[in-house]
Amino acid sequence: MARDDAYRKAERRIAQAQREGATTLALSGMELTEVPESIGLLTRLTKLNLSGNQLISIPESIALLNQLMVFDLSDNQLISIPESIVSLTKLTSLDLFSNRLKSLPEAIVSLTKLKMLNLSFNELTSLPDSIESLTKLKMLALASNKLTSLPEVIIFLTQKELDLSDNRLTSLPEVIGSLTQLEELNLSNNQLTSLPEAIGSLTQLKELDLSNNQLTSLPEVIGSLAQLKWIELYGNPLEPELDAVYEQGDEAVFQFIRAKAEKSLVLNEVKLILIGEGEVGKTSLLGALRGDKWVEKRKTTHGVEVEIRSLLVTDQNSGTEITFNGWDFGGQNIYRHTHQMFFTSPAIYLAVWNPRRGPEQCRVDEWIKMVKHRAYDENRPDEKPHILVVATHGGPKERLDHIDEQALREEFGNLIVGFYHVDSKTEFGLNALKQVIANTAANIPQVGRSVPASWKRVLDAIRQRSQTDAWITYEQFQALCAEQSVDLALAKTYAAILNELGHLIHYSADPILKDTVILKPEWLSKAISFILEDQKVNDQNGLVHHDHLSELWNDPARGPDRYPQHLHPVFLKLMEKFDLSYQIELPEAGAPPTSLMAQLVPSRRPEGWEQDWVLNLTTPNAPTSAACWTKKQAAPSS
């Protein structure tokens, strides 16, 4: 049999090694199921490799190899280690990787010179206390076992590498802080929910793998580990701020933790966005939620106006007082799609409609689609928009049009929180709505986050700067943060949080837009309105040459409302990003760069437009047919 052939071949190698007085012997990968007893004759061996066989045991004669220093038994089927191993007192390396060991013998206490012990990929559920004798260990590998805890005796070990990955650890003992010489610690693929403060004692730690656990945060003491250069956090349910920082790199994580260690604040804050058609009662509803005095015949909010007013609501379930930054837009049809420039997540959206006009006329479905399209990423469920559909006007006894709640729930799933009916004047249903809003906010993972105390200083500085400047460069934002002792990595995190909460606008993911930080949203929406309201652009059914855009934005007659030339490409990119405009190529030779404003395209298509103009679009998914027939109806002028 093949097994007998392997055995006899091993015997021949052993005999040859004995004749030659060999100090090393490799019997690896031979499919051995047993090792010849004659192995005990090689008393001069210092290195023995039996890896890659099918051994279920090793002969007692191994005890005679008392000069052995390196012993490789990896990739076998060993279920135990004989007590005779006690004689191998000169062993410095013992590799038992990928066997079927369920326990270690107490005899391991004799291997006091061991520097490397690899026990990974076995079936160990615990470690014997005798392991405390292995004080010279530099590397201990215990990956892919069934360990649920670590023994207190690890305090006696001095290893530099400890691999505990792929086990069942739910916690670490405080005594792990005794491993002060540790340089590499692998805790990946366990069930850890927290780390002990004692980990701050691992002052020599350089690499820490915590991937695929259940960690939401890290202890602040990690920020004191000056030697730590690499940390892996992938696959943990990290709190939003830490998750965002982790995406920026290891150094950003360390700086964030160090900043939090100074002093921290709790942010119970969320963005509240009111969306809907014009004259459905958004402004009145926000005022009523704030407790403002009722205003009869309130002036309609103009489409370019963005009013931001805060309100405080206490969640009765948790007792948490939450600040809402309420955003109110005008709802006129021509400006509807400009509002999406300010949609962020996570946030709470109130889709407001007037039952006297009906859900179709109020375009409830269209507004919610816009939110889902711009503010929802199914790969980031913790950052989803939370949409409350709110009917205004009329008391409970009034006969009103109804909305198809089931259809909306089927289309938008759990983005819909619920459906509510209020009267802002009589305050009917208002308190119930406020409690739903507060409870929804309290359950958003980002609400209640902790941030360094420098957050408040940066926020105050941003508010002060917005009194004089509508926008700043990202470099200026970094400088503003630096003045508050905030480093670049933390500044990036603050920019993301400030954008999320509605304190500024920053499109960090866009290579062109990321260099501009907008402090006044109206400044941005007004730039778009100059185009939408321009008679010349309207006469041309939305076609506009770029040189005319420059005239509109940099018109000296506008005084303080002028927009500098270097920002014009930013505005163009922004309009294209949100499908407000599309760059097109006119068929005439030498035609100037031209864009089509989608909102100004006529709704009726003329006959024969295909023959009159062939359009080459430079923007994917642009409305080809709509753009083409604007040329048919109105020829653009320079």
Side-chain angles (χ1 to χ4, degrees):
M1 293 186 297
R3 184 175 60 185
D4 293 336
D5 290 342
Y7 188 88
R8 286 194 293 272
K9 185 177 180 180
E11 284 186 315
R12 289 195 295 270
R13 287 191 184 180
I14 292 172
Q16 181 180 357
Q18 184 182 14
R19 290 193 300 271
E20 297 175 352
T23 58
T24 65
L25 176 64
L27 298 176
S28 57
M30 297 178 63
E31 299 185 1
L32 290 171
T33 57
E34 56 181 321
V35 178
E37 284 287 342
S38 58
I39 192 76
L41 300 174
L42 304 180
T43 55
R44 299 181 62 182
L45 279 186
T46 60
K47 184 176 181 180
L48 176 59
N49 187 347
L50 297 175
S51 66
N53 286 292
Q54 300 174 23
L55 302 174
I56 59 174
S57 64
I58 51 178
E60 291 292 330
S61 60
I62 285 288
L64 300 175
L65 307 183
N66 54 20
Q67 300 300 310
L68 203 59
M69 299 175 65
V70 178
F71 195 5
D72 189 347
L73 287 162
S74 61
D75 291 300
N76 278 286
Q77 301 292 318
L78 297 174
I79 57 176
S80 65
I81 301 174
E83 292 289 334
S84 58
I85 200 173
V86 68
S87 301
L88 307 182
T89 56
K90 292 188 177 182
L91 271 185
T92 59
S93 176
L94 177 58
D95 194 341
L96 293 162
F97 174 90
S98 190
N99 278 279
R100 297 166 55 192
L101 300 174
K102 290 181 170 59
S103 62
L104 295 180
E106 290 294 330
I108 203 169
V109 67
S110 302
L111 308 183
T112 56
K113 293 186 178 181
L114 269 186
K115 295 181 180 180
M116 192 284 287
L117 177 59
N118 190 348
L119 296 166
S120 294
F121 286 86
N122 279 281
E123 300 174 19
L124 300 173
T125 57
S126 62
L127 297 177
D129 288 345
S130 56
I131 202 171
E132 66 181 326
S133 301
L134 309 183
T135 57
K136 294 187 182 297
L137 268 185
K138 300 302 180 184
M139 193 280 276
L140 175 60
L142 292 163
S144 295
N145 279 281
K146 298 179 180 180
L147 299 174
T148 57
S149 63
L150 292 181
E152 298 283 321
V153 294
I154 64 170
I155 61 175
F156 298 103
L157 305 182
T158 59
Q159 71 265 30
K160 293 186 176 182
E161 300 177 33
L162 178 57
D163 187 352
L164 294 164
S165 61
D166 292 288
N167 278 285
R168 301 174 182 178
L169 300 174
T170 57
S171 63
L172 296 178
E174 289 287 337
V175 293
I176 198 168
S178 301
L179 304 180
T180 55
Q181 300 303 309
L182 203 59
E183 296 181 359
E184 299 178 18
L185 176 57
N186 189 344
L187 295 164
S188 63
N189 296 294
N190 278 283
Q191 300 168 30
L192 299 172
T193 57
S194 63
L195 298 178
E197 292 292 320
I199 204 165
S201 299
L202 306 183
T203 55
Q204 301 302 310
L205 198 62
K206 297 178 180 179
E207 298 182 9
L208 177 59
D209 192 342
L210 298 167
S211 59
N212 295 309
N213 277 279
Q214 297 299 313
L215 299 170
T216 57
S217 62
L218 297 177
E220 294 175 354
V221 292
I222 283 185
S224 65
L225 300 179
Q227 301 299 319
L228 191 58
K229 303 301 180 185
W230 182 85
I231 188 168
E232 181 63 79
L233 298 173
Y234 173 81
N236 282 283
L238 301 175
E239 60 184 15
E241 290 69 40
L242 180 56
D243 189 33
V245 169
Y246 174 59
E247 292 182 358
Q248 299 172 29
D250 297 344
E251 187 56 34
V253 172
F254 304 142
Q255 292 177 350
F256 178 74
I257 295 173
R258 289 167 194 147
K260 283 188 68 174
E262 300 173 3
K263 192 177 180 181
S264 62
L265 302 172
V266 176
L267 280 185
N268 291 316
E269 190 173 345
V270 70
K271 190 175 180 180
L272 177 68
I273 305 174
L274 285 78
I275 56 174
E277 295 293 286
E279 300 182 345
V280 295
K282 297 189 298 297
T283 304
S284 295
L285 175 58
L286 180 57
L289 291 171
R290 283 169 42 86
D292 297 343
K293 185 178 179 181
W294 172 257
V295 178
E296 288 285 354
K297 298 180 179 179
R298 185 188 296 269
K299 181 182 177 182
T300 300
T301 306
H302 189 268
V304 299
E305 294 176 359
V306 182
E307 187 172 13
I308 304 175
R309 292 182 291 168
S310 64
L311 61 144
L312 289 173
V313 183
T314 299
D315 173 38
Q316 292 181 350
N317 293 334
S318 63
T320 303
E321 186 178 64
I322 302 174
T323 299
F324 295 87
N325 300 317
W327 282 55
D328 177 24
F329 306 101
Q332 292 87 342
N333 181 56
I334 194 174
Y335 303 108
R336 180 187 299 118
H337 292 277
T338 64
H339 302 161
Q340 61 187 315
M341 296 187 296
F342 310 113
F343 290 174
T344 57
S345 281
I348 295 178
Y349 290 79
L350 303 185
V352 184
W353 67 290
N354 185 343
R356 294 171 180 169
R357 292 164 55 182
E360 291 187 5
Q361 187 177 345
C362 292
R363 302 175 184 267
V364 176
D365 180 85
E366 184 177 335
W367 280 104
I368 299 176
K369 280 182 180 177
M370 197 185 307
V371 172
K372 180 179 179 180
H373 179 58
R374 294 300 180 189
Y376 178 58
D377 181 353
E378 61 182 12
N379 295 318
R380 304 177 75 93
D382 286 345
E383 298 179 15
K384 71 177 183 179
H386 302 262
I387 305 170
L388 286 69
V389 183
V390 184
T392 60
H393 298 80
K397 297 180 180 180
E398 192 170 341
R399 185 180 179 84
L400 301 169
D401 199 353
H402 292 282
I403 195 168
D404 192 339
E405 298 182 8
Q406 184 61 34
L408 288 176
R409 287 191 184 278
E410 289 178 356
E411 183 174 4
F412 300 108
N414 64 359
L415 299 186
I416 302 288
V417 176
F419 298 83
Y420 309 91
H421 183 196
V422 302
D423 189 307
S424 300
K425 181 177 181 179
T426 65
E427 299 186 359
F428 164 77
L430 200 64
N431 286 332
L433 177 62
K434 289 172 71 172
Q435 277 310 303
V436 173
I437 292 173
N439 184 252
T440 301
N443 286 287
I444 293 176
Q446 290 78 359
V447 174
R449 73 189 105 193
S450 294
V451 294
S454 56
W455 159 267
K456 181 64 166 57
R457 302 196 301 270
V458 170
L459 178 58
D460 290 343
I462 285 291
R463 286 172 170 166
Q464 183 177 356
R465 187 66 174 266
S466 68
Q467 299 301 311
T468 56
D469 296 320
W471 68 281
I472 55 177
T473 65
Y474 185 70
E475 186 176 351
Q476 288 173 318
F477 173 78
Q478 291 175 315
L480 180 149
C481 290
E483 292 173 1
Q484 308 305 324
S485 302
V486 172
D487 58 49
L488 296 181
L490 188 55
K492 186 174 182 179
T493 299
Y494 281 177
I497 299 176
L498 288 164
N499 178 70
E500 172 199 319
L501 297 179
H503 294 297
L504 52 74
I505 301 162
H506 183 225
Y507 304 104
S508 59
D510 192 287
I512 294 179
L513 302 177
K514 68 180 181 180
D515 294 327
T516 304
V517 179
I518 299 167
L519 306 181
K520 292 183 178 180
E522 277 193 22
W523 172 84
L524 177 57
S525 60
K526 188 177 290 186
I528 311 301
S529 75
F530 288 164
I531 310 170
L532 297 175
E533 296 174 359
D534 182 67
Q535 189 60 50
K536 183 175 180 180
V537 179
N538 276 268
D539 290 343
Q540 295 176 169
N541 298 309
L543 287 170
V544 56
H545 293 329
H546 291 182
D547 55 359
H548 184 56
L549 289 177
S550 295
E551 293 173 2
L552 292 174
W553 286 328
N554 203 22
D555 185 355
R558 297 194 188 279
D561 288 335
R562 294 176 64 182
Y563 296 85
Q565 186 76 30
H566 70 272
L567 287 178
H568 298 179
V570 175
F571 291 152
L572 271 172
K573 173 64 177 177
L574 192 62
M575 292 193 298
E576 292 165 11
K577 176 181 176 68
F578 290 99
D579 298 321
L580 301 177
S581 71
Y582 304 92
Q583 287 198 45
I584 62 174
E585 289 184 11
L586 296 175
E588 296 89 350
T594 302
S595 289
L596 175 68
M597 301 299 296
Q599 288 296 100
L600 299 179
V601 174
S603 57
R604 297 186 61 185
R605 180 185 302 170
E607 296 180 2
W609 60 270
E610 298 97 332
Q611 291 76 31
D612 290 349
W613 190 25
V614 177
L615 177 67
N616 178 23
L617 290 169
T618 58
T619 303
N621 302 318
T624 306
S625 58
C628 291
W629 44 260
T630 55
K631 176 71 175 178
K632 172 79 174 180
Q633 296 194 14
S637 57
S638 301

